[in-house]
Amino acid sequence: MIVMKFGGTSVGSADAFAQVAAIVADKAAEQAQTPRPGVAVVTSAMSGVTNLLIDAAQRAANGDEEFFLEAENALRVKHQTVAGQLIDDGNERAALGRIFDERLQEFTRLCSSIAVLGELTKRGLDVVSGLGERLAAPLLAAVLRARGVPAEYIDATEIVVTDAVFGGAAPQIEPTEARCRARLLPLLEQGTVPVITGFIGATAEGIPTTLGRGGSDYSGAIIGAVLEADEIQIWTDVNGVMSADPRIVPNARSLRQLSYEEVAELAYYGAKVLHPKTVTPAIEKQIPLRVLNTFQPEHPGTRIAERSDHTGGTVKAITSIRGMNLITVAGRGMIGVPGIAARTFQAVAGVGANVLMISQSSSEQSICFVVPEGSADTVIDALRAEFKVERERRYIDEIGGHGNVAIIAVVGSGMRGTPGLAAGIFRAVGNEAINVIAIAQGSSEANVSLVVEETQAAEAVRAIHDIFELHKPSGERSSQLQRAGGIDRT
Ligand code: ASP
Ligand code: MG
């Protein structure tokens, strides 16, 4: 039994819908031969739709009473076009037309009242932004039926129970599990494909929520976990997870395997892969995830599981995250004084800033850490206030930020205990005369991070990618590099 989640571009046009239907039909047939047959589908909204819905609601709140009417029209055309091209049966088309009308009426009613009130609550925004999935899922179910695959549309507000944190709700696993199993297992047993809305859920009282932007992956993982799927497939428009951003490193490769740990590290440091939250339900149930390309379905993509294959070497992928600020708290008087670090991070937490990386010099004369540029000023002010006395006494003589830096994260579980890796990384950046401003190694040893000037970030990524020969299939990388982790380039 597998769960297949399709993202916005996978259902972005009539052609894409047809492609998805073909993929699901194949999988359903293949699965029918297995001891635990069944395919459940989770879908995002058509690409661009969620943004349009949010935009319309926000403009309505600012008094614009025209835009949402135009949006309604655009949404109707967008979905009707797909139905018109892929569904011949008159009854099916009429039934879909009624669903579209109902949803779009809900949309204009909501936007009108938002415009009247002049206010958009998070709760209201969740209802509006979730409409895209509630248009796309019934459409995909009908497209599957038109292709001869028995399918039934399911609204996730019936089966995914969440807390009431609008705009980023968390699932409540027990009731979700009970409802999903009760509703979906009978369908799966009779060979019907449930087509479920991604991104949305509802509280136990039935108030609609969303799981946060990009939340359909999370939906796929939650549903896969509670159904104990054999695999959760994330269908997107690229060939899985890459060794680096191909816009920065043109010869980056698609990775065959990653561990949960590696994918979480990559996502944390800005790689546009699965959100770390997505993998949690899969990890808990040890269910492998697979990232696949809807537009190149024969490509094996990336498999993500508990353990990845380390025979391919130590470093798996490199990512960079820009727009950061490196904040330093330094002073001779800090040596041996307990509590400085605790007070530093308490002050940072007090202003709600997100710390991406920490490094302390062994002499204890300084602590530095990286926060997004946008929160740097607030953090510095908070620290200066916290250490007012220490600054007057000159125990601490520097609290300041270094703006426009980027974190380069080098990720791979196989880096653990491999000597010489750091040397390889520094040789790579040193060869390019890139100045390393700070370094940190994750305690998991699955990641080494460097801070460099933002203007040198792309070059740093390319240099490290190059020295570890990540552009080559793992079997073809030089053996010395595999052993020594990239110290030797000969
Ligand atoms: N449609 C939602 C969004 O755009 C959820 C998703 O695509 O995963 O954020
Ligand atoms: Mg998406």
Side-chain angles (χ1 to χ4, degrees):
M1 205 274 293
I2 60 173
V3 171
M4 306 173 83
K5 177 267 170 175
F6 292 92
T9 48
S10 298
V11 292
S13 64
D15 286 349
F17 265 88
Q19 178 76 4
V20 167
I23 292 170
V24 174
D26 276 0
K27 268 290 169 231
E30 194 185 298
Q31 282 287 309
Q33 313 300 319
T34 65
R36 265 187 89 213
V39 170
V41 167
V42 174
T43 185
S44 288
M46 290 182 73
S47 59
V49 167
T50 312
N51 285 342
L52 180 61
L53 292 164
I54 293 173
D55 196 21
Q58 280 164 347
R59 290 193 194 211
N62 292 327
D64 187 337
E65 302 193 32
E66 301 289 317
F67 186 81
F68 66 81
L69 297 174
E70 286 164 34
E72 180 205 8
N73 196 37
L75 291 168
R76 188 183 309 275
V77 170
K78 197 170 173 111
H79 293 85
Q80 288 287 13
T81 305
V82 178
Q85 285 188 30
L86 300 178
I87 295 160
D88 293 331
D89 183 293
N91 290 333
E92 278 275 21
R93 255 155 90 159
L96 258 182
R98 284 191 297 275
I99 296 179
F100 294 161
D101 284 343
E102 199 182 293
R103 298 287 185 273
L104 293 170
Q105 240 177 48
E106 195 176 342
F107 171 64
T108 50
R109 276 209 209 105
L110 284 160
C111 287
S112 308
S113 46
I114 292 166
V116 170
L117 292 171
E119 190 197 2
L120 177 58
T121 61
K122 282 195 158 182
R123 175 171 165 175
L125 182 60
D126 269 5
V127 182
V128 177
S129 60
L131 285 167
E133 275 70 11
R134 296 173 61 222
L135 287 159
L139 176 55
L140 181 55
V143 169
L144 283 168
R145 290 192 293 269
R147 216 185 176 284
V149 179
E152 187 174 324
Y153 159 59
I154 308 276
D155 191 320
T157 54
E158 288 177 45
I159 57 171
V160 174
V161 182
T162 71
D163 62 20
V165 179
F166 300 106
Q172 291 176 341
I173 292 302
E174 272 171 36
T176 300
E177 178 165 332
R179 290 199 200 182
C180 282
R181 296 183 78 89
R183 186 77 176 89
L184 304 177
L185 290 179
L187 292 176
L188 292 167
E189 269 151 30
Q190 74 191 41
T192 298
V193 175
V195 181
I196 308 153
T197 52
F199 183 47
I200 62 173
T203 64
E205 296 76 37
I207 302 163
T209 54
T210 65
L211 304 172
R213 291 308 305 272
S216 293
D217 290 345
Y218 197 17
S219 306
I222 293 163
I223 291 164
V226 298
L227 294 179
E228 302 195 325
D230 298 305
E231 183 171 279
I232 298 161
Q233 299 185 340
I234 307 288
W235 289 82
T236 174
D237 54 3
V238 291
N239 290 331
V241 182
M242 310 285 289
S243 56
D245 182 339
R247 285 165 304 180
I248 297 178
V249 184
N251 60 4
R253 288 178 63 84
S254 155
L255 301 165
R256 281 299 78 76
Q257 299 195 42
L258 279 176
S259 63
Y260 295 128
E261 182 184 36
E262 287 165 334
V263 84
E265 294 276 1
L266 284 172
Y268 186 70
Y269 289 105
K272 297 238 169 343
V273 292
L274 298 173
H275 191 285
K277 268 202 269 185
T278 310
V279 293
T280 10
I283 297 177
E284 276 162 15
K285 289 276 174 76
Q286 305 273 298
I287 299 170
L289 290 148
R290 198 182 286 276
V291 182
L292 293 152
N293 188 351
T294 299
F295 306 99
Q296 210 178 305
E298 61 297 335
H299 193 283
T302 304
R303 185 173 189 272
I304 301 158
E306 180 59 25
R307 301 182 61 78
S308 75
D309 170 12
H310 295 154
T311 55
T314 48
V315 172
K316 280 287 186 60
I318 302 150
T319 182
S320 59
I321 182 164
R322 304 162 69 97
M324 297 287 129
N325 191 304
L326 178 76
I327 296 191
T328 304
V329 176
R332 289 183 186 281
M334 285 168 64
I335 300 171
V337 179
I340 300 268
R343 284 169 60 201
T344 300
F345 292 110
Q346 233 151 40
V348 176
V351 296
N354 184 20
V355 176
L356 280 104
M357 180 185 138
I358 302 172
S359 113
Q360 179 174 30
S361 69
S362 55
S363 70
E364 288 185 59
Q365 283 185 52
S366 75
I367 299 174
C368 56
F369 56 93
V370 178
V371 298
E373 195 73 76
S375 47
D377 286 345
T378 335
V379 168
I380 292 169
D381 288 346
L383 289 169
R384 291 195 173 140
E386 173 67 34
F387 293 115
K388 189 166 179 294
V389 174
E390 286 79 1
R391 283 169 63 226
E392 282 163 5
R393 293 184 186 162
R394 300 234 162 257
Y395 293 168
I396 288 181
D397 38 44
E398 190 199 332
I399 296 178
H402 181 144
N404 302 317
V405 296
I407 300 178
I408 310 292
V410 183
V411 173
S413 309
M415 287 162 65
R416 193 169 284 136
T418 305
L421 259 177
I425 295 170
F426 293 114
R427 168 172 299 196
V429 293
N431 285 346
E432 305 300 320
I434 294 165
N435 180 32
V436 176
I437 307 167
I439 53 170
Q441 177 168 38
S443 57
S444 67
E445 286 188 56
N447 144 29
V448 172
S449 311
L450 323 175
V451 176
V452 300
E453 297 289 353
E454 208 171 73
T455 51
Q456 296 185 308
E459 217 182 322
V461 172
R462 278 191 291 270
I464 301 168
H465 198 274
D466 218 42
I467 209 164
F468 290 106
E469 302 185 322
L470 298 186
H471 58 284
K472 293 187 184 169
S474 50
E476 291 171 23
R477 289 179 201 143
S478 88
S479 57
Q480 252 161 337
L481 278 166
Q482 286 174 9
R483 270 187 281 116
I487 318 178
D488 202 320
R489 274 196 104 178
T490 51

